[in-house]
Amino acid sequence: MGTFVFDEQCQRGHHSCTLHHGSSGTYLPVKGPSLMATVTFDKATRLYPGGDRPAVDSLDLDIADGEFLVLVGPSGCGKSTSLRMLAGLEDINGGKIWIGDRDVTNVQPKDRDIAMVFQSYALYPHMTVADNMGFALKIAKVDKSEIRKRVEEAGKILDLTQYLDRKPKALSGGQRQRVAMGRAIVRNPKVFCMDEPLSNLDAKLRVQTRTQIAALQRRLGTTTVYVTHDQVEALTMGDRICVLKDGILQQVGTPRDMYDSPANVFVAGFIGSPAMNLRTFQVGDGHAKVGTVDVTLSREATAALAAEGAKDVVLGFRPESLEPASPNSPSAIPLEVDMIEELGSDAFVFGRVPVSHGGSGIDPVTSADSEIVARIDPRDVPKKGDVVWFSIREGNQHVFSTKTGKRLITTPVTTSASPA
């Protein structure tokens, strides 16, 4: 998305305006060449002084023009560091970063034509909403009428028109976050960098605001890199998701790709709520032995296990992939109910395979390794201590190597449920 042209000389010279770093995280417009808003990490590496391993290790990632890409992972995975490397706030020890066709690896933050939205709103308390949103343009000596025009346009987009004359203290948390978004929008940058902008909001407001941000990005068409630790945010907001662990890229793909075909055990366990059931079982004669039940493995999985010489397999199945079964069915797996989670439209059973049916008998309160989660009919909920029977829906198994943790079957798995 192109940048605004702020003066006649700039317009006649066919130049757009990049951004100059000002006070309190603002970026002020300065002249610079027009660029496509693609972003490329080319083996980008960040090693902090005194560190024994890189915080970001040889990150290779291409982000399309206008794409909403979400960086997600647990604390310490390198997602915020990657974002700060893109913004120029972290040094790069190896590799390169490109914005469009321009290598910005050694370019100062003020010249990268990006806008950041932080977890903290960083609003000036003595200024009105309009003054906060237009402050960067004011410092750049943009005409007052032009500033007002752009602030009012952003206010309409963000539904802030009625609040433009208020001070930040008179706004809710969600409204303050929208003001911070507006401050970025009026500068019309090449790339939005958002570092966990919803972390300060309560649960209900987070759901509402994430929908607004996703809709806003699609309306503006601005390339956006969004950091979060919340995989539900990642699934609901991103065009694509990039999962990181210990500074290493695990998988990049659409939300459906991540949910249906996780590349390894980590991604399988991280994406989805409740998490995928992942257990290690013995293998024999093309079957995984789940308690006293033999779960048939595909020929591709059996061949891959044989090539590894593996006697065990990590078998994954999502809670919605377990369907009620008759106790007499040869594929039925018994589950002794330990806890029930009722969510209104959904209900989940947490339990374990009883010892009498080949289970470990480990107390799931002290060892979650034996726990299995199944989605059930919320209007037909068993009681604690009941034994219910399930079978794994055909084609919904995820098979991983116990040696490498990688997926053994590369073809997509079909699941009927939405990842949201």
Side-chain angles (χ1 to χ4, degrees):
M1 188 174 179
T3 50
F4 290 128
V5 179
F6 291 106
D7 58 57
E8 293 180 1
Q9 182 180 0
C10 183
Q11 189 170 14
R12 288 196 303 268
H14 303 288
H15 287 93
S16 62
C17 298
T18 57
L19 304 172
H20 177 74
H21 187 53
S23 61
S24 299
T26 57
Y27 287 78
L28 314 181
V30 296
K31 296 175 187 176
S34 178
L35 299 172
M36 285 185 63
T38 57
V39 174
T40 302
F41 290 83
D42 182 9
K43 299 190 183 303
T45 300
R46 174 56 171 152
L47 177 64
Y48 287 108
D52 56 356
R53 64 174 179 81
V56 177
D57 194 352
S58 299
L59 178 60
D60 276 320
L61 184 61
D62 292 312
I63 305 170
D65 184 17
E67 182 177 12
F68 194 123
L69 181 108
V70 179
L71 297 175
V72 66
S75 297
C77 71
K79 54 188 184 295
S80 289
T81 301
S82 300
L83 189 75
R84 291 172 61 84
M85 290 163 66
L86 171 60
L89 304 178
E90 293 283 357
D91 293 332
I92 299 174
N93 303 109
K96 295 181 179 180
I97 294 179
W98 297 73
I99 298 179
D101 57 359
R102 183 186 184 204
D103 182 359
V104 297
T105 306
N106 297 310
V107 174
Q108 292 296 312
K110 65 183 181 180
D111 299 320
R112 294 197 182 195
D113 200 358
I114 60 95
M116 289 200 70
V117 180
F118 298 97
Q119 177 178 343
S120 59
Y121 318 124
L123 302 178
Y124 294 105
H126 63 287
M127 292 184 181
T128 64
V129 167
D131 290 340
N132 268 285
M133 291 171 63
F135 183 70
L137 304 182
K138 178 181 178 181
I139 296 300
K141 302 187 186 307
V142 177
D143 183 75
K144 289 183 179 180
S145 62
E146 181 69 13
I147 294 175
R148 189 69 189 182
K149 176 184 176 182
R150 301 205 183 279
V151 168
E152 288 177 353
E153 287 175 351
K156 289 179 182 178
I157 292 172
L158 295 165
D159 195 23
L160 289 172
T161 301
Q162 64 269 41
Y163 306 113
L164 291 178
D165 295 325
R166 292 190 185 182
K167 300 286 182 66
K169 66 180 180 180
L171 304 178
S172 68
Q175 290 165 345
R176 293 179 192 179
Q177 191 58 273
R178 278 186 278 155
V179 174
M181 287 285 298
R183 186 172 52 192
I185 289 171
V186 297
R187 296 196 301 272
N188 196 23
K190 293 293 185 185
V191 182
F192 284 133
C193 296
M194 302 189 185
D195 193 2
E196 305 209 39
L198 307 184
S199 294
N200 286 343
L201 306 182
D202 61 54
K204 183 177 181 180
L205 196 55
R206 282 172 70 104
V207 174
Q208 177 183 345
T209 307
R210 78 186 183 207
T211 303
Q212 293 171 342
I213 289 177
L216 173 64
Q217 190 275 336
R218 283 159 179 75
R219 178 175 178 178
L220 296 175
T222 306
T223 305
T224 300
V225 183
Y226 185 101
V227 165
T228 181
H229 65 276
D230 186 339
Q231 50 93 17
V232 175
E233 271 183 32
L235 287 168
T236 54
M237 297 179 72
D239 295 322
R240 287 191 304 157
I241 300 171
C242 171
V243 179
L244 297 171
K245 179 190 178 188
D246 297 331
I248 298 174
L249 175 63
Q250 301 294 310
Q251 186 176 358
V252 183
T254 65
R256 178 53 62 188
D257 289 338
M258 292 291 188
Y259 196 79
D260 285 353
S261 302
N264 54 45
V265 170
F266 175 77
V267 176
F270 189 81
I271 297 295
S273 180
M276 181 187 291
N277 297 292
L278 290 163
R279 302 291 177 268
T280 301
F281 302 108
Q282 291 183 342
V283 175
D285 298 326
H287 296 81
K289 298 188 179 296
V290 182
T292 59
V293 177
D294 289 341
V295 177
T296 303
L297 301 176
S298 68
R299 284 182 292 180
E300 294 88 347
T302 302
L305 290 167
E308 286 189 349
K311 296 182 179 180
D312 298 311
V313 66
V314 177
L315 188 65
F317 44 94
R318 295 201 180 275
E320 67 272 15
S321 297
L322 291 170
E323 56 186 3
S326 168
N328 299 324
S329 172
S331 62
I333 302 170
L335 198 65
E336 184 176 339
V337 178
D338 290 302
M339 188 186 77
I340 299 166
E341 190 176 76
E342 297 190 61
L343 303 174
S345 60
D346 270 325
F348 295 92
V349 164
F350 295 75
R352 65 191 188 281
V353 178
V355 176
S356 59
H357 291 82
S360 64
I362 299 174
D363 182 0
V365 174
T366 58
S367 176
D369 292 339
S370 65
E371 188 175 74
I372 293 178
V373 184
R375 187 168 72 179
I376 59 173
D377 184 347
R379 292 171 178 78
D380 186 17
V381 177
K383 297 178 181 179
K384 183 177 179 180
D386 286 352
V387 175
V388 290
W389 298 77
F390 296 97
S391 61
I392 302 173
R393 188 177 292 115
E394 185 177 353
N396 282 206
Q397 303 162 9
H398 303 258
V399 184
F400 304 94
S401 167
T402 55
K403 294 184 178 180
T404 64
K406 293 182 179 180
R407 186 181 188 84
L408 292 178
I409 305 174
T410 57
T411 54
V413 173
T414 301
T415 56
S416 58
S418 167

